[in-house]
Amino acid sequence: MSHRYIGMREDLKVKQFMNIFSIPEMTLLAVANDFFISNDIEYDPEHLIKDVSEAIGMVHIKGYMYKWIMQDLEKYILRGDEPYAFLQCLISHGKEVFLMRMKTQGHMDKGMRFMVGKDWRDFFDRVIVQADKPHFFNDCETISQTISQTISQTISQTF
């Protein structure tokens, strides 16, 4: 997922949360930890971390989260002038914008149409689907290969 274990010895591990996607996991861990402590319930912190990580993985990997969001876009996705204005601002300042998605394009298309309209692709220089996240971000070789392939394709298309 979005963490790595760090530590001097194999038996002493500290879980490192590395990005914004770790916030739900950290929140759930904090709430569960507080509940156990406040109610004088004994628990094993190592098992709590394992259980919470597995639960979040199941919701995300098995697709439950996408199903729930797609069934009620109004509840989960910001719609209005803000997303459109933000993307327009990036473009007007000459920024190259890409959108990366782990799964196929279906959910992304429905969500982006809901947020900014049917011409949402016009905001992006690149749309990447089936990106194999989080490995895409953690594997420097994959990133350099992707960048090299993109440069090679751009060069071959130019000449």
Side-chain angles (χ1 to χ4, degrees):
M1 289 218 104
S2 58
H3 61 269
R4 295 182 192 247
Y5 288 96
I6 56 176
M8 299 283 286
R9 296 186 346 223
E10 186 63 29
D11 61 331
L12 295 176
K13 294 181 180 177
V14 176
K15 187 170 183 176
Q16 179 183 19
F17 294 95
M18 296 177 18
N19 60 39
I20 195 167
F21 302 108
S22 298
I23 292 173
E25 188 171 358
M26 290 184 288
T27 303
L28 187 52
L29 284 168
V31 169
N33 187 56
D34 182 59
F35 176 81
F36 292 136
I37 291 171
S38 298
N39 292 289
D40 267 341
I41 299 171
E42 285 190 40
Y43 71 101
D44 182 346
E46 191 172 333
H47 286 134
L48 176 63
I49 289 172
K50 182 178 178 256
D51 291 346
V52 166
S53 294
E54 285 178 9
I56 287 181
M58 294 287 286
V59 167
H60 183 74
I61 293 168
K62 293 224 178 213
Y64 299 137
M65 181 178 64
Y66 303 112
K67 180 181 172 188
W68 298 328
I69 291 170
M70 290 298 111
Q71 288 175 347
D72 194 354
L73 293 175
E74 292 279 341
K75 181 177 181 179
Y76 297 106
I77 297 181
L78 176 65
R79 182 182 194 171
D81 296 333
E82 294 89 355
Y84 184 88
F86 176 71
L87 291 168
Q88 195 62 44
C89 179
L90 291 173
I91 292 169
S92 69
H93 284 88
K95 304 297 180 186
E96 288 191 30
V97 183
F98 73 94
L99 181 61
M100 184 180 293
R101 172 101 172 102
M102 189 163 99
K103 304 274 184 196
T104 57
Q105 192 169 329
H107 293 108
M108 180 174 57
D109 185 57
K110 186 175 180 180
M112 292 304 294
R113 283 175 180 265
F114 178 79
M115 282 196 308
V116 294
K118 64 181 175 108
D119 296 327
W120 66 267
R121 287 180 192 88
D122 295 343
F123 288 107
F124 300 95
D125 297 292
R126 300 274 187 271
V127 175
I128 303 166
V129 296
Q130 297 178 327
D132 193 29
K133 296 184 296 181
H135 304 292
F136 183 90
F137 294 106
N138 295 333
D139 184 357
C140 292
E141 187 175 319
T142 302
I143 293 172
S144 64
Q145 287 175 350
T146 303
I147 292 170
S148 297
Q149 289 169 354
T150 303
I151 291 170
S152 296
Q153 289 171 354
T154 304
I155 291 171
S156 66
Q157 291 171 356
T158 305
F159 296 106

